[in-house]
Amino acid sequence: MNKIDVCLSPDLMHLYPVTDKIVVVADILRATSCMTAGIAHGVAGIRPFADLEKCRAMKHCGYFIAGERNGQKVDGFDLGNSPYDYKQQHLIGKNIAVTTTNGTLAIEKSKNAKMVVIGAFLNKQALADFLMEKNMDTLILCAGWKGKFNLEDTLFAGAMVEALQGRYHPSCDAPIAARTLYLEAKKDLSAYLSDSSHVQRLKRLNIEKDITYCLQENRLDCVPVLKDGEIVKLN
Ligand code: 3SL
């Protein structure tokens, strides 16, 4: 039986050999939810950068540039980090370069994986179907917040473990703990997360509608995959 594991922070990635695994990167609020929404909406490709200036430089290569630091849009960038930014009509068929506080760093830290895919509650079932078809050991990487654990990414990891239950065997205690939390939270994810640090941070910035959007399960039937450094729709 294949194994499923959960890495609770990008700072722990050195503990997880991934060269023979699929890594699912999750930054539920909001980076990987934005990427999933954008790709589902018809954005041609999204190139992630951990480094802000490298991302900014992509403007000269014809990319729209998207970026956030501490939840707020980077000055001079075309887009912030709201899923609604990624669903604008004029972005269909276009390419975006993006940098975020945690999500794009988590993607960079996954670069040795056999395959990197982008996870969100939005595409949970599409992703689970894809993983079952691929039939490979899988690691869910939670982007967290500046190296620390966060609840929303861990709940998503637990949701994936639950979706793959019976088909995958947990590698250690993290997937068991994440699933237990998800089962407790799933009736009302939004209520369960109401006191969590990043929900509080985003509420202070008045972006409740992004939280509501990102916590919807199985709204999008799309698996974004990292190919030659760019996130594209799996075909
Ligand atoms: O850290 C990230 O990657 C972002 O998703 C954080 S925020 O929701 O845009 O603040």
Side-chain angles (χ1 to χ4, degrees):
M1 195 185 278
N2 288 315
K3 294 199 182 106
I4 183 134
D5 212 340
V6 174
C7 176
L8 294 167
S9 157
D11 283 10
L12 298 175
M13 266 305 265
H14 61 282
L15 301 175
Y16 297 86
V18 289
T19 47
D20 57 346
K21 293 189 179 70
I22 298 182
V23 173
V24 179
V25 180
D27 188 318
I28 298 305
L29 299 173
R30 296 165 286 169
T32 60
S33 299
C34 288
M35 293 165 185
T36 305
I39 293 295
H41 181 65
V43 171
I46 301 174
R47 190 167 284 271
F49 289 89
D51 184 85
L52 195 148
E53 293 311 325
K54 283 188 186 154
C55 184
R56 193 193 300 276
M58 294 304 286
K59 185 78 186 161
H60 306 296
C61 305
Y63 281 69
F64 285 86
I65 50 173
E68 150 289 321
R69 284 296 179 270
N70 297 316
Q72 289 177 295
K73 183 178 169 205
V74 179
D75 275 350
F77 275 43
D78 302 309
L79 319 171
N81 196 36
S82 165
Y84 294 98
D85 290 354
Y86 279 73
K87 295 198 308 169
Q88 296 177 81
Q89 203 63 21
H90 71 275
L91 294 174
I92 293 176
K94 300 290 194 287
N95 293 72
I96 297 173
V98 59
T99 182
T100 69
T101 310
N102 306 285
T104 54
L105 178 67
I107 294 170
E108 194 164 293
K109 289 208 174 189
S110 308
K111 62 174 187 273
N112 293 329
K114 182 98 181 158
M115 185 179 224
V116 177
V117 295
I118 299 302
F121 279 114
L122 296 165
N123 68 340
K124 184 187 81 173
Q125 193 54 50
L127 203 50
D129 293 345
F130 167 76
L131 291 173
M132 285 190 272
E133 190 191 304
K134 275 291 182 194
N135 207 21
M136 282 170 62
D137 290 351
T138 298
L139 175 74
I140 320 286
L141 170 58
C142 301
W145 182 260
K146 298 185 179 177
K148 293 184 178 170
F149 170 95
N150 83 17
L151 200 46
E152 64 274 13
D153 298 341
T154 308
L155 290 180
F156 167 77
M160 288 307 302
V161 176
E162 171 64 6
L164 299 170
Q165 191 69 7
R167 298 283 297 269
Y168 283 68
H169 189 71
S171 286
C172 72
D173 290 353
I176 298 171
R179 175 171 175 259
T180 304
L181 280 176
Y182 172 69
L183 293 177
E184 196 176 301
K186 71 174 188 178
K187 225 191 294 165
D188 190 343
L189 289 174
S190 174
Y192 197 84
L193 285 166
S194 61
D195 288 335
S196 67
S197 56
H198 200 46
V199 163
Q200 290 294 322
R201 193 176 292 114
L202 294 178
K203 279 185 177 167
R204 282 194 294 276
L205 296 170
N206 289 318
I207 19 194
E208 263 109 329
K209 72 177 200 322
D210 286 8
I211 302 172
T212 306
Y213 181 84
C214 295
L215 295 182
Q216 298 174 99
E217 295 194 52
N218 304 326
R219 187 179 163 146
L220 303 172
D221 186 22
C222 142
V223 178
V225 56
L226 189 68
K227 227 178 171 183
D228 302 323
E230 192 137 322
I231 297 159
V232 295
K233 193 175 196 165
L234 185 86
N235 49 31

